[in-house]
Amino acid sequence: MGIIVANLFLTLDGVYQGPGGREEDTEGGFTLGGWQLPVSDAEAEAAIEAGIGHIDALLLGRKTYDIFAAYWPHQSDDIGGTLNRVPKFVVSSTLTDPAWEGTTVLPDAAAAGRLRDEYNQVHMFGSGVLIRSLLQADVLDRLHLWLYPVTLGQGKRLFDAGTVPATFRLAEPARTFPKGSVSLVYERAGEVRTQDMPGA
């Protein structure tokens, strides 16, 4: 059985909106797009690219799909070659005729679970709303957070209202990079347990 891995570039205050460019996602009046590159470095970028090389299928939410579909079909570098070659799946209730070649529309997050029966590694990027839906449906196997040393104070946050209470464990050793970013790979470890601290 394969796994579904969510890759997300995240600030210290939990924002995932618009890491790649100023105009990538300005929803809600977001003005700080393009925050990732200034706090990244060659080692981190190489690690991200190496991870993309393991993708067997790509899974995206509708908004991230629209961003990717407008850019990656026109790119011929190694990342573009991979993303254009692999099967793509987008969870959407409104998209009926996807323009990016090799794309299949899925009706909901639960339907994405079957992809694990067909592919070894199904990867996601961005798609914070879909990540929360996959967690709710219990079909997300790994959460790969790329944590960057910057706070924004605005923007879309991953663990917002409606987050499912859950416990996670490290699936791989944490990895740090020269400019201070950290790669953290978690997998689900069950429900939240509570316990009082001694003397509390």
Side-chain angles (χ1 to χ4, degrees), residues 25 62 74 78 117 120 130 147 160 177 189 196:
D25 182 359
R62 174 64 189 272
H74 312 291
D78 288 345
D117 297 328
N120 186 39
L130 179 56
L147 190 64
D160 212 336
F177 298 94
D196 292 331

Side-chain angles (χ1 to χ4, degrees), residues 16 110 135 145:
Y16 67 87
L135 288 169
L145 302 178

Side-chain angles (χ1 to χ4, degrees), residues 148-165:
Y148 288 85
V150 59
T151 57
L152 302 180
Q154 61 172 274
K156 301 173 185 175
R157 288 175 168 80
L158 175 59
F159 297 120
D160 212 336
T163 298
V164 177

Side-chain angles (χ1 to χ4, degrees), residues 30-87:
F30 186 65
T31 61
L32 295 171
W35 53 264
Q36 181 184 9
L37 193 57
V39 288
S40 189
D41 52 67
E43 285 187 32
E45 296 301 311
I48 292 168
E49 186 168 341
I52 291 172
H54 295 295
I55 293 175
D56 297 311
L58 182 65
L59 174 65
L60 299 170
R62 174 64 189 272
K63 290 179 181 177
T64 305
Y65 174 82
D66 286 343
I67 293 169
F68 274 41
Y71 179 79
W72 287 111
H74 312 291
Q75 308 306 312
S76 57
D77 58 8
D78 288 345
I79 295 175
T82 297
L83 298 183
N84 287 310
R85 173 181 49 81
V86 300

